[in-house]
């Protein structure tokens, strides 16, 4: 079975927005395993400390913590400035800045809940892309993580708001991709995995490590033909293809 070798992003500066989260932790780990230095912005020094602890001292040597809030225009501008101060060659970025949301009924939860879900789950994707894309190496890549709720079947009751975010996120990222024209490459990954605070949950079709392997490969030159795609990542074969550079 293939896995990352440490050469894919060797010596590169990378960024994981949402890197303290369930998915983001695996993305940080994979970028580190691919040989990169990884910058992680977070609103919470405690969550950064937890991430450092979870990675262990050896991997954490190449972790760079940054305190900031990418979810507001002012916060995103501040994060952008901190990134400019940290690196003049940001090669790859991945973004998973949102969380699941479910109520018993979207309808009964009301407009304030809907508005909150849009503002806290979709806006950070616009703001992160707006702040980070201008800093990225033109040969590099920007990858966002999405979930299946916005695609395929009708949303389950209570998941309407997050389904709207997911569908809108895919179109938003596609729109950014059109505008970069592949320099850098921009893709959205609809991920079929169940990842929690303790790691991969039982029954998950993919492990967190496999998701990380896929996103790190996509970020590397191995998969440099992949751009402007909404990728439905659901089986290990896709991870193997990405690692082998044959995904496109
Ligand atoms: N978990 C899964 O199994 C799963 C499955 C499929 C799809 N997904 C998708 O993956 C994405 C991430 O999910 P998750 O489970 O990893 O969520 P999570 O554990 O709640 O993590 C969300 C991350 O987003 C960051 N974030 C949120 N707002 C931010 C802001 N304003 N500024 C900076 N960072 C912000 C948080 O960072 P700080 O709090 O540290 O600032 C946190 O690290 C979601 O879009 C979700 O739909 C997840």
């Amino acid at each position: 079975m293939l896995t990352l070798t440490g050469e894919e992003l060797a010596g590169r500066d990378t960024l994981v927005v949402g890197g303290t989260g369930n998915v983001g932790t695996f993305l940080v780990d994979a970028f580190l395993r691919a040989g990169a230095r990884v910058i992680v912005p977070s609103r919470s020094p405690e969550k950064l400390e937890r991430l450092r602890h979870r990675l262990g001292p050896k991997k954490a040597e190449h972790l760079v913590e940054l305190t900031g809030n990418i979810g507001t225009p002012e916060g995103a501008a501040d994060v952008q400035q901190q990134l400019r101060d940290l690196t003049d060659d940001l090669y790859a970025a991945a973004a998973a800045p949102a969380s699941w949301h479910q109520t018993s009924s979207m309808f009964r939860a009301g407009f304030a809940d809907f508005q909150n879900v849009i503002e806290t789950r979709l806006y950070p994707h616009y703001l992160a892309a707006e702040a980070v894309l201008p800093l990225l190496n033109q040969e590099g890549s920007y990858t966002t993580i999405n979930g299946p709720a916005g695609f395929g079947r009708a949303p389950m009751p209570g998941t309407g708001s997050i389904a709207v975010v997911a569908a809108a996120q895919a179109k938003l990222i596609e729109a950014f991709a059109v505008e970069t024209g592949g320099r850098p490459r921009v893709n959205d990954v609809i991920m079929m995995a169940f990842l929690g605070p303790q790691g991969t949950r039982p029954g998950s079709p993919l492990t967190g490590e496999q998701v990380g392997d896929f996103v790190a490969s996509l970020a590397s030159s191995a998969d440099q033909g992949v751009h402007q795609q909404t990728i439905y990542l659901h089986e290990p074969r896709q991870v193997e293809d990405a690692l082998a550079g044959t995904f496109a």
Side-chain angles (χ1 to χ4, degrees), residues 67-123:
T67 305
N69 182 358
I70 204 108
T72 67
E74 304 74 24
D78 172 60
V79 169
Q80 187 190 57
Q81 186 55 52
Q82 292 193 62
L83 289 170
R84 284 189 198 281
D85 295 342
L86 279 168
T87 177
D88 55 11
D89 188 11
L90 185 64
Y91 184 73
S99 323
W100 180 247
H101 177 84
Q102 187 165 359
T103 59
S104 57
S105 156
M106 173 185 73
F107 191 27
R108 284 197 298 277
F111 177 71
D113 187 70
F114 178 75
Q115 183 179 28
N116 180 55
V117 174
I118 302 294
E119 289 184 359
T120 58
R121 270 76 169 178
L122 183 60
Y123 287 9

Side-chain angles (χ1 to χ4, degrees), residues 16-25 27 40-48 50 66 68-72 75 79 95-101 119-121 123-125 127 144-149 162 165-166 169 189-197 199 201 204:
V16 179
V17 176
T20 59
N22 299 329
V23 179
T25 299
L27 303 183
V40 177
S42 169
R43 297 162 296 182
S44 157
E46 292 76 26
K47 282 196 187 176
L48 286 167
R50 196 179 63 191
L66 185 164
N69 182 358
I70 204 108
T72 67
V79 169
S99 323
W100 180 247
H101 177 84
E119 289 184 359
T120 58
R121 270 76 169 178
Y123 287 9
H125 270 292
L127 291 165
T144 52
I145 301 297
N146 205 339
I162 200 73
V165 167
Q169 177 186 322
V189 176
I190 302 167
M191 189 195 76
M192 273 305 294
F194 316 141
L195 309 178
R201 295 186 200 274
S204 180

Side-chain angles (χ1 to χ4, degrees), residues 96-215:
S99 323
W100 180 247
H101 177 84
Q102 187 165 359
T103 59
S104 57
S105 156
M106 173 185 73
F107 191 27
R108 284 197 298 277
F111 177 71
D113 187 70
F114 178 75
Q115 183 179 28
N116 180 55
V117 174
I118 302 294
E119 289 184 359
T120 58
R121 270 76 169 178
L122 183 60
Y123 287 9
H125 270 292
Y126 182 93
L127 291 165
E130 184 188 40
V132 173
L133 286 174
L135 305 185
L136 274 172
N137 185 315
Q138 302 265 295
E139 304 300 319
S141 67
Y142 188 82
T143 308
T144 52
I145 301 297
N146 205 339
F151 311 90
R153 291 190 205 146
M156 302 275 287
T159 66
S161 305
I162 200 73
V164 168
V165 167
Q169 177 186 322
K171 195 50 80 177
L172 175 71
I173 300 308
E174 187 183 26
F176 276 117
V178 167
E179 295 199 12
T180 70
R183 293 176 61 80
R185 298 181 291 112
V186 177
N187 297 287
D188 189 42
V189 176
I190 302 167
M191 189 195 76
M192 273 305 294
F194 316 141
L195 309 178
Q198 311 307 326
T200 306
R201 295 186 200 274
S204 180
L206 293 166
T207 65
E209 286 82 3
Q210 286 174 313
V211 172
D213 281 5
F214 182 85
V215 173

